Amino acid sequence: MEKPDLRFWQLWNLSFGFFGVQIAYALQSANISRIFRTLGADPHDLSYFWILPPLMGILVQPIIGTLSDKTWTRFGRRIPYLFVGAAMAVAVMCLLPNAGVLGLATVGAVLVVGTILLMLLDTSINMAMQPFKMLVGDMVNEKQKAKAYSIQSFLCNAGSVVGFVFPYIFAAIGMSQEAPEGVVPQPVVWSFYVGAAILILCVLYTTIKVKEWNPEEYAKYNNLSEKKDEGSSNWFTLLKNAPSTFWKVGLVQFFCWAAFLYMWTYVVDAVSLTVWKTDDPTSLDYQNAGNWTGILYAIQAMGSVGWAMVLPRFKNTKVAYSVSLLLGGLGFALIPFCPGQYLQIIPFLLIGCAWAAMLAMPFTFVTNALQGYGHMGAYLGLFNGTICIPQIVAALCGGMIMRAIGGTQSTMMIVAGIFLVIGALCVGVIKDNQHK
């Protein structure tokens, strides 16, 4: 039986909690390198801290997907996991920016504690994030799926804008950016506090508003017998039987997410070096660069929203995907050549084009290809590996690449641009709606 059409607000409610989760993710993405640089990390070692977010993703999301496939409670199937993940994230968000004031004796000890807290934050955000993708896969029919993921993409970008601008706003209203060496400035600390509060409120909204199907309804609307849906199947078997689209989209994902990992790792220093001519984390100019980078991230997110409205006008989805990645690659390469802070808006608008395509198109290709396969949650959890593995590889290689090319953090933006161009070329191998 075909899944029923859902009203706009039903689609909205399915993903609204994602707004809060994305605020937390945006705060992490924009501020982790800044926090660890402030705590005393060497710039050549920054990429190693970024191993943790994708590592936790590749461990946590398949587990959450597999467990939630088999979980049936009166609170739902996916919702219990997103609620527990959000509650954990709130606690860690209040602790992480305070790692420098816990009375630890050495910089090394501070970095170790910060690393542990980052690992816990990544675990909880991944636990809260993945169920939203699964809810759309579970409850939305193929005709409305693009619309559902577009709503999710809008909420994702809106949450990103809010999270990205918080430090700039708190500094603008008078919070001091000056702090003792090794201590994170108050605008960043309070951004995490407020983001944590919004996160739990948004997740509570989705928890109250969304009623998941029971096992019989799920089996009926997803054209599966209960036995098939609940039967055990290990991850290796699932991967062996995955549709070819799963792997082809994964190839594109590899280069895209490696590129964005380098942006998140090095862009604060790249903007600071290009515009403010410093990468000294104790300087006020560096903190100004960090706040302005948050604004640039918000501009990227707004550019992504605008480009998402353009994407449906392309007659060929693969052409839209490819063009978006090419524009993003150009944006990355332009960052070191825009010496004015307002000139930096141009490359970030272009990067937003790539981000818009990366948020919606891969999951549309893959969930369409997975119709009738069963184990939707497990498959989407495993597909998250195409996001996490490239980031792990990129993080392991970041310092080595920067040393090998004799470059700076700014040069790594050009490397990121090259990766996105390669990803755009790989889009050609995807065959939409191919199941075998």
Side-chain angles (χ1 to χ4, degrees), residues 368-387:
N368 285 345
L370 286 172
Q371 292 301 312
Y373 273 73
H375 303 281
M376 179 69 78
Y379 266 119
L380 289 183
L382 290 168
F383 184 67
N384 191 62
T386 68
I387 296 173

Side-chain angles (χ1 to χ4, degrees), residues 190-268:
W190 276 95
S191 295
F192 275 77
Y193 290 166
V194 175
I198 296 173
L199 166 60
I200 198 65
L201 290 174
C202 291
V203 167
L204 280 171
Y205 178 89
T206 289
T207 301
I208 293 167
K209 289 290 187 178
V210 173
K211 178 175 172 54
E212 294 186 71
W213 290 326
N214 61 37
E216 294 78 16
E217 290 171 323
Y218 178 84
K220 178 176 66 175
Y221 288 126
N222 284 276
N223 300 317
L224 301 169
S225 68
E226 280 186 66
K227 181 177 179 182
K228 178 180 177 182
D229 183 49
E230 295 179 352
S232 62
S233 186
N234 66 62
W235 294 343
F236 294 106
T237 301
L238 292 176
L239 289 172
K240 179 182 176 182
N241 295 326
S244 64
T245 299
F246 182 100
W247 299 106
K248 291 172 180 177
V249 175
L251 176 65
V252 179
Q253 294 270 83
F254 181 90
F255 295 102
C256 293
W257 287 96
F260 273 81
L261 186 280
Y262 287 148
M263 179 182 75
W264 297 325
T265 304
Y266 300 111
V267 77
V268 173

Side-chain angles (χ1 to χ4, degrees), residues 332-379:
F332 279 131
L334 283 175
I335 288 174
F337 302 103
C338 295
Q341 67 181 95
Y342 295 104
L343 278 177
Q344 290 285 337
I345 291 173
I346 297 170
F348 277 82
L349 284 172
L350 294 172
I351 293 168
C353 298
W355 188 242
M358 287 168 59
L359 286 177
M361 290 186 174
F363 282 97
T364 300
F365 283 130
V366 170
T367 54
N368 285 345
L370 286 172
Q371 292 301 312
Y373 273 73
H375 303 281
M376 179 69 78
Y379 266 119

